[in-house]
Amino acid sequence: MEKCENLSPETASFNYQLFYKVRERSLGRVLSKLKKFLSRDIEERLLASGFTDFKVSYIVFLGNLEENGITNNELAKRAGVTKQAMSKIVKLLEDGGYIYTVKDPKDSRSSQIFMNERGKQLMKTVFNCMQKIREKYDAIAGHEQVEQMADTMLLLVRELEKEENT
């Protein structure tokens, strides 16, 4: 495959064939499409399981909750959103019956967020959905290739998080 620098503005003519090759293998494009397929698949399975009022994008918030509770600020930090955005999502999840909040006994200005039974049932359903999706991906690409992809993505995420925190 030709190198990306061949698409630089200094090149006399724009090479559409090269552009198409590069575009097809663009990590951003591939990850975006894979996320779209994954989200759609999870959403369809959740709807079929009776979770008609839940947005797939909220899974990341429930997935960051702790058994002993977590503050809005810590949850926002883990999820990579602002405190204000997290407060809105917490309200939506609480109204939907997925979580509940309790005033923090150590700091009356803060609350601890917990997953309730409906939230736990949702997360069990998500886990089962992910197993089915994984089986689908294994059937398409092979178990070892999907494992290698997951290992590579996990390595990238861990290293990029380290970079971000320095």
Side-chain angles (χ1 to χ4, degrees):
M1 182 165 177
E2 295 181 54
K3 294 183 179 179
C4 289
E5 60 260 16
N6 291 342
L7 293 176
S8 68
E10 296 83 31
T11 304
S13 63
F14 187 80
N15 183 335
Y16 273 99
Q17 296 309 313
L18 178 59
F19 172 71
Y20 296 146
K21 282 183 190 178
V22 171
R23 180 179 69 180
E24 179 183 30
R25 296 187 57 81
S26 163
L27 286 180
R29 185 179 176 106
V30 171
L31 290 172
S32 175
K33 284 186 171 192
L34 193 55
K35 183 182 182 304
K36 180 185 82 170
F37 294 132
L38 181 66
S39 294
R40 185 189 64 210
D41 209 349
I42 293 171
E43 188 172 285
E44 289 171 359
R45 292 170 190 271
L46 288 178
L47 284 172
S49 297
F51 294 100
T52 57
D53 63 340
F54 188 81
K55 292 185 179 184
V56 173
S57 60
Y58 295 160
I59 291 171
V60 70
F61 304 108
L62 288 181
N64 279 304
L65 294 177
E66 295 289 337
E67 184 177 0
N68 296 320
I70 189 170
T71 64
N72 185 75
N73 291 350
E74 182 61 27
L75 189 55
K77 184 176 158 185
R78 287 185 183 185
V81 299
T82 66
K83 294 175 204 173
Q84 295 80 5
M86 190 74 257
S87 294
K88 288 179 184 178
I89 294 164
V90 164
K91 174 87 170 99
L92 289 169
L93 292 173
E94 194 168 25
D95 290 349
Y98 296 100
I99 62 171
Y100 66 96
T101 58
V102 175
K103 285 285 181 200
D104 189 334
K106 299 173 193 163
D107 181 359
S108 62
R109 299 168 296 159
S110 183
S111 294
Q112 290 288 318
I113 304 164
F114 297 88
M115 195 178 320
N116 67 17
E117 287 308 312
R118 185 165 190 231
K120 291 174 186 174
Q121 188 57 48
L122 172 84
M123 292 309 287
K124 287 180 194 174
T125 303
V126 168
F127 180 79
N128 290 332
C129 289
M130 291 307 298
Q131 285 183 308
K132 296 291 183 193
I133 291 167
R134 177 59 191 263
E135 290 168 10
K136 178 180 176 178
Y137 291 3
D138 284 356
I140 293 169
H143 179 77
E144 289 305 316
Q145 279 195 264
V146 176
E147 276 294 302
Q148 186 177 6
M149 178 184 70
D151 288 344
T152 301
M153 289 190 302
L154 186 57
L155 172 67
L156 288 168
V157 166
R158 286 180 177 160
E159 290 303 314
L160 293 170
E161 283 178 339
K162 284 182 197 174
E163 248 180 50
E164 193 173 79
N165 293 325
T166 56

